[in-house]
Amino acid sequence: MITNLLRDNIRNLKPYSSARDEFEGNASVWLDANECPAALPNLPEGINRYPASQLQGLKDEIAKVKGVKLSQVFIGNGSDEAVDLLMRCFCQPATDKILVFPPTYGMYGVCAAVNDVSVIESILDNDFNINIKDFEENNMQRPKLTFICNPNNPTANMQNAETVRQIIEKSTGIVVVDEAYIDFCPDKSIISWINKYPNLVVLQTLSKAWGLAAARVGLAFASPQIISVMNRVKFPYNVGKPSIDIALKALQQDDEMIRRTKELIDNKNRLASELKSLQMVQKVYPSDANFLLVKFDNARQAYSKLASNGIVVRDRSTQPGCEGCLRITVGTREEVETLLNCLNDLNADNADFTDNRR
Ligand SMILES: *Cc1c(COP(=O)(O)O)cnc(C)c1O
């Protein structure tokens, strides 16, 4: 039972009941929440009111778009909120553990450290796939949460669905599958598995393909048991009304999101093939996301050259298995062009240097 996995204090938690939770029905005079009766001029209408009912509306829309039930949807202040909430719901500080598969998204480890939860690491193999034997050994320590980032950040690859299934079935705790980049490979989502596995949580976000990173809207999908606990523990008004309104507007433009996503994938494929032709590039890893992990002869040199031309990429060379690797986000066609021109210059510089030494 999922409830057995919860921390005792959370299992027994009586949630905060807000003004808007306690009144049902129609009203026109709202004097229950100590709000200001009117917004200042030139601000969005309704900004003076707490946004309880709006979140309900967004939840309806998300449930529709994702093909799940309302009771299976959690909306957070970014999916990072969901990561932290899950830790606070399930992991007893100084006692419980989580399991991660490095190299992977850094927030799992940071949230664990903040919550005084220790981290078991099962390192990915040379192709950045999960080693199921190694998982099984580590799983004997009974981690409360196991995080699978799929597609994985920073390696950009997807784990095989069968591997993910085995982990969900073998885990004695909750398995969190972080699908932050799934809109770039939507056919590979396992969101429908929440109907089968009560210990599965799927995270998604509007920060990446939907283009709403600044709005801070993250999503978690799971069994109603888990979702209701998350809703009890979260802050009452965790997502602001401007963000809710913007998210609703974005969700109405799903055709345009899909069109742009395809364009980004075209840019990615072009970027990947051009990078592969560069002398200084050793490897471009396969990607199901909107970024590429690229192994350079000299990552520091490439990073500096790009930076001095005002192009910022992410140096991942200190991550396990990522020696010499930069993570490059796919931008517009023009941005991809600018990046490639800069690396071509560097390639030419290096060739001159080699020639001069001969
Ligand atoms: C970007 C990213 C997120 C998104 O976080 P938000 O808080 O929703 O913006 C989540 N997980 C991974 C692996 C990411 O790379």
Side-chain angles (χ1 to χ4, degrees):
M1 273 304 281
I2 297 303
T3 46
N4 294 336
L5 294 168
L6 289 169
R7 289 167 63 192
D8 296 339
N9 59 317
I10 300 297
R11 193 180 309 118
N12 302 323
L13 182 75
K14 198 172 169 306
Y16 173 77
S17 178
S18 71
R20 290 295 135 78
D21 290 335
E22 292 183 358
F23 176 79
E24 276 179 41
N26 290 320
S28 53
V29 182
W30 295 99
L31 302 176
D32 60 337
N34 298 347
E35 298 151 336
C36 190
L40 288 169
N42 306 319
L43 294 180
E45 201 183 307
I47 198 73
N48 54 313
R49 299 293 178 190
Y50 282 107
S53 51
Q54 276 88 357
L55 196 58
Q56 203 54 39
L58 179 57
K59 229 182 255 182
D60 284 336
E61 199 55 34
I62 296 275
K64 229 184 287 166
V65 171
K66 300 291 178 183
V68 299
K69 297 188 203 82
L70 208 56
S71 58
Q72 295 172 315
V73 182
F74 167 85
I75 302 180
N77 197 274
S79 47
D80 288 345
E81 183 187 2
V83 172
D84 184 66
L85 260 184
L86 287 165
M87 256 177 242
R88 288 193 288 139
C89 291
F90 290 101
C91 301
Q92 185 63 37
T95 306
D96 284 334
K97 296 172 181 163
I98 66 161
L99 192 158
V100 300
F101 299 97
T104 193
Y105 188 45
M107 276 306 289
Y108 314 139
V110 171
C111 279
V114 168
N115 288 293
D116 195 12
V117 168
S118 57
V119 180
I120 308 165
E121 297 193 328
S122 176
I123 308 285
L124 298 176
D125 72 15
N126 287 338
D127 297 318
F128 300 129
N129 291 318
I130 289 173
N131 176 336
I132 199 83
K133 281 259 153 57
D134 190 65
F135 161 76
E136 283 174 326
E137 260 167 47
N138 285 305
N139 189 42
M140 301 213 288
Q141 298 182 57
R142 295 187 159 260
K144 279 289 187 72
L145 302 173
T146 295
F147 285 90
I148 305 172
C149 190
N150 222 21
N152 187 37
N153 178 3
T155 62
N157 64 314
M158 249 350 249
Q159 298 301 324
N160 181 309
E162 267 325 295
T163 306
V164 175
R165 187 188 297 281
Q166 281 185 50
I167 291 169
I168 297 168
E169 289 181 351
K170 285 175 175 155
S171 177
T172 49
I174 306 289
V175 176
V176 184
V177 177
D178 185 347
E179 296 190 336
Y181 298 96
I182 204 68
D183 298 304
F184 298 98
C185 52
D187 297 344
K188 298 184 180 176
S189 177
I190 59 156
I191 189 169
S192 64
W193 294 12
I194 60 171
N195 295 310
K196 178 164 182 206
Y197 296 110
N199 66 329
L200 170 65
V201 177
V202 174
L203 302 182
Q204 294 187 6
T205 181
L206 302 189
S207 294
K208 303 286 156 56
W210 289 95
L212 298 188
R216 311 305 303 129
V217 182
L219 312 171
F221 305 97
S223 57
Q225 286 167 294
I226 295 180
I227 294 298
S228 77
V229 174
M230 293 175 77
N231 281 327
R232 270 193 287 149
V233 175
K234 76 172 178 72
F235 289 152
Y237 309 107
N238 58 331
V239 183
K241 183 172 186 294
S243 296
I244 294 170
D245 290 345
I246 287 167
L248 281 167
K249 274 194 190 161
L251 289 169
Q252 285 161 12
Q253 304 180 56
D254 54 339
D255 289 349
E256 181 63 9
M257 182 279 282
I258 291 167
R259 194 188 67 73
R260 290 181 183 209
T261 298
K262 286 186 178 144
E263 215 169 84
L264 282 176
I265 293 170
D266 286 345
N267 292 353
K268 175 178 74 177
N269 292 337
R270 185 178 128 66
L271 174 61
S273 74
E274 294 285 330
L275 286 171
K276 282 175 192 165
S277 71
L278 291 177
Q279 179 85 52
M280 66 182 143
V281 168
Q282 291 181 10
K283 184 161 186 174
V284 178
Y285 288 90
S287 167
D288 270 313
N290 64 332
F291 58 87
L292 294 171
L293 188 72
V294 185
K295 200 184 203 64
F296 288 83
D297 287 338
N298 187 341
R300 187 167 301 191
Q301 183 202 40
Y303 181 90
S304 306
K305 171 76 178 179
L306 290 167
S308 66
N309 282 271
I311 303 166
V312 192
V313 298
R314 195 90 199 266
D315 187 349
R316 298 282 75 186
S317 52
T318 59
Q319 301 292 304
C322 298
E323 297 79 19
C325 288
L326 302 181
R327 191 193 70 190
I328 304 175
T329 306
V330 179
T332 62
R333 254 191 105 80
E334 292 72 31
E335 288 169 335
V336 166
E337 212 58 49
T338 307
L339 175 115
L340 286 169
N341 286 340
C342 183
L343 290 177
N344 271 315
D345 285 353
L346 179 59
N347 222 24
D349 294 349
N350 286 345
D352 284 351
F353 180 70
T354 314
D355 283 349
N356 290 341
R357 286 207 308 188
R358 276 205 199 104

